[in-house]
Amino acid sequence: MTLDEFYLFYLQQPMKPFILTRDAVQAQVYGAGYPSIPTMTLDEFYQKEIREGKIQLDSHNPTPVSERQQAEDQEIKKETQIETDDPEALAKARQWDDWKDDHKRGWGNRENMG
């Protein structure tokens, strides 16, 4: 059989589909690659977490104020101090502004740079 005859023989046979068994087994174990159907509701999940002690319900402790709310409150407090011409706040703001003028960004300790 020559090379040309081999190519003709090979091209005349229809190609058979094949399945890699590793992929088939992997699909059975890990799923199809997209999110699967949930196995429990949110309420069941939270009850399980509470039973395991991962979530503690302390109703007598007040809920903490979020960090964003604290930052907003501090900004409002600073603005009101500046608006009311609080001498301490103005002096502190001026000192900080002068310091920033004298010390540009990146002008720190450059001795240990490699």
Side-chain angles (χ1 to χ4, degrees):
M1 184 183 268
T2 66
L3 192 58
D4 293 333
E5 292 173 347
F6 175 75
Y7 283 130
L8 287 176
F9 175 76
Y10 179 72
L11 292 175
Q12 289 176 354
Q13 292 181 349
M15 295 193 64
K16 298 178 184 176
F18 63 93
I19 297 174
L20 295 176
T21 57
R22 178 176 172 216
D23 289 341
V25 172
Q26 188 175 9
Q28 290 175 354
V29 173
Y30 295 113
Y34 48 85
S36 59
I37 298 171
T39 57
M40 64 176 72
T41 65
L42 287 175
D43 291 332
E44 291 171 344
F45 171 74
Y46 284 122
Q47 293 300 324
K48 178 180 151 256
E49 296 290 312
I50 290 169
R51 270 187 272 124
E52 293 176 359
K54 295 180 182 176
I55 299 176
Q56 295 179 356
L57 300 177
D58 293 335
S59 60
H60 61 279
N61 289 339
T63 57
V65 179
S66 69
E67 293 178 14
R68 185 183 321 163
Q69 184 64 32
Q70 288 177 351
E72 289 175 5
D73 291 344
Q74 288 177 353
E75 286 293 324
I76 292 170
K77 184 178 176 182
K78 287 180 185 177
E79 289 175 9
T80 54
Q81 286 177 346
I82 292 172
E83 288 172 1
T84 58
D85 295 332
D86 184 20
E88 291 178 12
L90 284 174
K92 186 175 180 182
R94 286 184 181 136
Q95 286 175 352
W96 177 248
D97 189 42
D98 291 340
W99 188 90
K100 286 185 74 167
D101 288 341
D102 294 337
H103 301 85
K104 299 292 183 191
R105 181 178 172 96
W107 282 17
N109 183 5
R110 309 280 299 174
E111 298 296 324
N112 295 329
M113 295 296 291

